[in-house]
Amino acid sequence: MALIALGICGGVGAYKAVEVARGLQKRHHEVVAVMTDAARHFVGPLTFEAITRRRVVTDQFEPGANANIEHIAIASDIALLLVVPATADIIGRFAAGIADDFLSSLYLATTAPVLMAPSMNVNMLAHPAVQRNLETLAARGVRFVEPGEGYLACGWMGKGRLAEPDAIVEVAERILRPAGPLRGRRLLVTAGPTYEDLDPVRYVGNRSSGRMGFALAAEAMRRGAEVVLVAGPTTVEPPAVTELVRVRRAAEMHAAVMDRAAGADAIVMAAAVADYTPAEAAAQKIGKTDGPMQLTLVRTPDILADLGRLRPSLPGQPVLVGFAAESEDVVNRAAAKRVKKKVDLIVANDVLQPGAGFDVDTNAVTIVGPDGAEAVPLQSKAAVAGVILDRVEALLEKKTGARK
Ligand code: C5P
């Protein structure tokens, strides 16, 4: 999603920058590693090169690297400059505006936000010189991931230990997320079909492509939300989201959604979950016989209905949105489903209408809510996703008030 310059300085926490780089990549960001001379005493550039799959910048004056004045090129391309670990030395050089290596020149040359994760001995951190430098940088808008307390590598107890890589990635994500209307909200979106296996080669599935759910997840990301996307098997590529969970069967989707429901502000069930699954999946391929064949199918758990039932006990009591694929009496059936499943909105699809429903890029839906039905005419799934999320936003604001 974004290009991040990861500055690595010479502290014992330098090895943790490897995990930070991995964490950023898992969230679909590209990382360019910039190492100070001292950092190379702790970790080899090859480690970062292998992980980031980019040349690691180690020297401002390396022949061949200056044709396009590299620090200026990187400075203008990055969305964030993140320094892990930030030593007393780099904090001092940034604060004083000294540009004696690539990383300190990059700091002066970029207009991207800057995030530093300090790590040093407890007395160094408490020293008035370092404290003053930190204040100077903070006043300039530099943000920090607070160091933790505990045993320091130098053997001392106290504050100065580098924050955990996950926490650093989380803060970086928050800075990078656009300041859209869903910033600070967590959305759980499901997409695609589920496949219910009959045997090792056959399954019962449906024609859902995942496009509607993917459009919702992408639009929610654009609006600044954290998005967890639980997707069944699809050939269409899912968008970049905060967390992608791949599942196959309805039972797996049920478990994935229930595990993550507690932290969600809204759950949008766009997936076409199978209603029935084979009573038993055969361990071996089922051979054919001359006569007809009978399959016994049993009901799958209804994820949305379970969410509706559980909602009063879920922290955050998420807004719930379901989809209903119908081929007749669309609005009435959707309205009945809304009440039965105890959800806020049902997005009804007439699957027989040309250009709407499964496996196409467009959709026409009717959104059934507490105040009646709103027809959303045929348009791209991206645009339909926008209309649905407008309604979700309105419900969230009504529930908890507009958040900053
Ligand atoms: O009752 P019906 O299957 O038409 O309801 C569709 C809605 O319920 C969709 O939002 C779908 O994701 C959800 N659903 C579910 N679990 C099922 C079947 C459907 O969550 N087993």
Side-chain angles (χ1 to χ4, degrees):
M1 290 257 298
L3 176 66
I4 298 167
L6 178 61
I8 303 125
C9 302
V12 273
Y15 72 97
K16 286 195 187 172
V18 177
E19 259 185 79
V20 171
R22 293 278 302 124
L24 293 169
Q25 284 179 319
K26 271 194 208 145
R27 293 177 180 230
H28 307 279
H29 300 302
E30 238 192 284
V31 177
V32 53
V34 178
M35 299 183 79
T36 63
D37 276 349
R40 284 187 285 159
H41 293 294
F42 291 88
V43 197
L46 261 183
T47 308
F48 287 101
E49 189 174 310
I51 284 176
T52 62
R53 295 174 190 278
R54 290 177 76 111
R55 196 180 81 79
V56 175
V57 185
T58 49
D59 187 350
Q60 188 157 17
F61 305 108
E62 199 174 324
N66 290 289
N68 58 353
I69 317 183
E70 200 174 15
H71 64 269
I72 302 296
I74 293 179
S76 56
D77 288 350
I78 56 173
L80 176 71
L81 169 58
L82 169 62
V83 184
V84 181
T87 53
D89 175 60
I90 200 74
I91 289 166
R93 285 191 287 137
F94 279 13
I98 294 168
D100 61 351
D101 69 355
F102 194 98
L103 185 56
S104 49
S105 306
L106 182 60
Y107 165 70
L108 293 181
T110 193
T111 54
V114 179
L115 176 65
M116 303 180 90
S119 161
M120 65 198 77
N121 163 277
V122 58
N123 288 347
M124 287 173 82
L125 183 62
H127 196 283
V130 175
Q131 285 299 314
R132 182 143 177 217
N133 289 336
L134 288 169
E135 279 161 26
T136 303
L137 290 174
R140 264 183 226 151
V142 171
R143 275 169 275 192
F144 297 95
V145 189
E146 279 281 304
E149 287 196 30
Y151 284 104
L152 305 180
C154 55
W156 293 45
M157 255 307 263
K159 196 168 172 181
R161 199 172 65 178
L162 185 68
E164 287 309 313
D166 282 352
I168 297 172
V169 171
E170 193 50 50
V171 178
E173 262 287 285
R174 243 182 279 145
I175 294 173
L176 288 165
R177 215 167 286 137
L182 284 173
R183 188 176 182 152
R185 307 284 196 184
R186 194 173 175 88
L187 262 69
L188 176 54
V189 178
T190 65
T194 63
Y195 286 176
E196 310 299 321
D197 291 324
L198 287 166
D199 68 18
V201 293
R202 305 182 184 94
Y203 59 83
V204 180
N206 62 67
R207 289 176 44 211
S208 168
S209 64
R211 284 190 176 90
M212 192 62 241
F214 290 173
L216 280 157
E219 181 57 22
M221 287 294 288
R222 265 192 294 277
R223 294 181 184 207
E226 258 182 71
V227 177
V228 179
L229 175 60
V230 179
T234 61
T235 50
V236 177
E237 270 293 298
V241 288
T242 313
E243 188 193 2
L244 172 68
V245 186
R246 279 290 192 180
V247 295
R248 182 173 173 86
R249 297 177 301 121
E252 288 168 9
M253 186 172 277
H254 185 271
V257 169
M258 290 304 163
D259 276 356
R260 291 161 180 84
D265 292 299
I267 303 177
V268 184
M269 286 285 311
V273 188
D275 291 322
Y276 291 92
T277 190
E280 220 178 326
Q284 307 297 332
K285 186 182 167 194
I286 303 167
K288 61 174 166 294
T289 59
D290 289 336
M293 181 188 188
Q294 262 198 329
L295 288 175
T296 305
L297 301 176
V298 293
R299 279 296 307 270
T300 54
D302 190 320
I303 308 166
L304 190 58
D306 280 358
L307 288 169
R309 239 190 326 272
L310 278 175
R311 173 157 54 175
S313 62
L314 283 176
Q317 309 204 343
V319 166
L320 295 179
V321 182
F323 275 65
E326 305 286 358
S327 57
E328 57 182 336
D329 198 16
V330 176
V331 174
N332 286 332
R333 285 183 181 220
K337 247 170 226 181
R338 197 185 79 81
V339 174
K340 186 166 170 230
K341 299 201 185 197
K342 299 191 174 72
V343 301
D344 300 294
L345 302 175
I346 287 277
V347 181
N349 258 320
D350 180 346
V351 287
L352 297 185
Q353 193 182 324
F358 287 148
D359 218 9
V360 285
D361 282 321
T362 51
N363 209 358
V365 299
T366 306
I367 302 177
V368 180
D371 313 319
E374 174 193 356
V376 183
L378 192 70
Q379 54 200 302
S380 70
K381 283 186 173 168
V384 173
V387 179
I388 295 168
L389 288 180
D390 286 346
R391 295 286 299 264
V392 170
E393 271 176 32
L395 285 167
L396 283 170
E397 270 167 36
K398 203 164 131 193
K399 196 162 65 95
T400 53
R403 278 194 210 162
K404 293 278 161 290

